[in-house]
Amino acid sequence: MTTVSSVTAARPMLRLALRLDAVVTGVNGLVYLALAGPVADLLGLPAGPGRAIGAFLLVYAAAVWAVSMPGRPRRVAVRAVVEANLLWTVLSVVAVVTGWLSLNTLGSVWAVMQAVVVAGFAALQWTALRRDR
């Protein structure tokens, strides 16, 4: 049985998980967008796709932050964030395995590390959502 205290404790955890995701995603987006040239040199990610990914990440970060704003985030919106994070995780691994973005070795390691972090956000968000019933 879920107690009132565990439910009220889950909400701050859910909001924190969403906001942490939004901040990390936003910082990554800014780096990809503002430093596309150096990122291309470092990771092998071409500047054009790097900028596009950066712009997408900034928009996504704003959306995730918006989902975190209500005192009780909407379950359907949180589930959408979790599913989007899982999709990003899968696509990151696929990009590395297939050579889709022509990343160098460091870029491939970075993409897999990002996938692990994003999967961690999804797991944390899903766990907090399940506790907040």
Side-chain angles (χ1 to χ4, degrees):
M1 176 177 255
T2 304
T3 64
V4 172
S5 62
S6 67
V7 169
T8 55
R11 286 184 192 150
M13 185 174 117
L14 178 56
R15 292 178 77 196
L16 177 63
L18 290 165
R19 288 181 177 183
L20 183 59
D21 184 356
V23 168
V24 170
T25 300
V27 168
N28 273 331
L30 283 173
V31 169
Y32 286 136
L33 195 56
L35 301 173
V39 168
D41 294 340
L42 185 64
L43 304 179
L45 177 66
R51 284 186 190 96
I53 291 169
F56 169 78
L57 290 175
L58 286 174
V59 171
Y60 182 71
V64 173
W65 189 272
V67 169
S68 80
M69 291 301 292
R72 183 172 192 182
R74 295 191 55 204
R75 295 181 69 76
V76 68
V78 175
R79 277 192 296 249
V81 169
V82 169
E83 290 170 4
N85 282 342
L86 292 175
L87 179 61
W88 180 272
T89 299
V90 169
L91 289 177
S92 294
V93 173
V94 167
V96 169
V97 170
T98 64
W100 180 21
L101 294 172
S102 304
L103 300 171
N104 61 26
T105 301
L106 182 60
S108 295
V109 170
W110 176 253
V112 171
M113 287 180 8
Q114 272 192 314
V116 169
V117 169
V118 172
F121 285 143
L124 184 60
Q125 292 156 352
W126 181 251
T127 300
L129 182 65
R130 288 181 45 96
R131 289 184 182 164
D132 184 31
R133 290 185 183 204

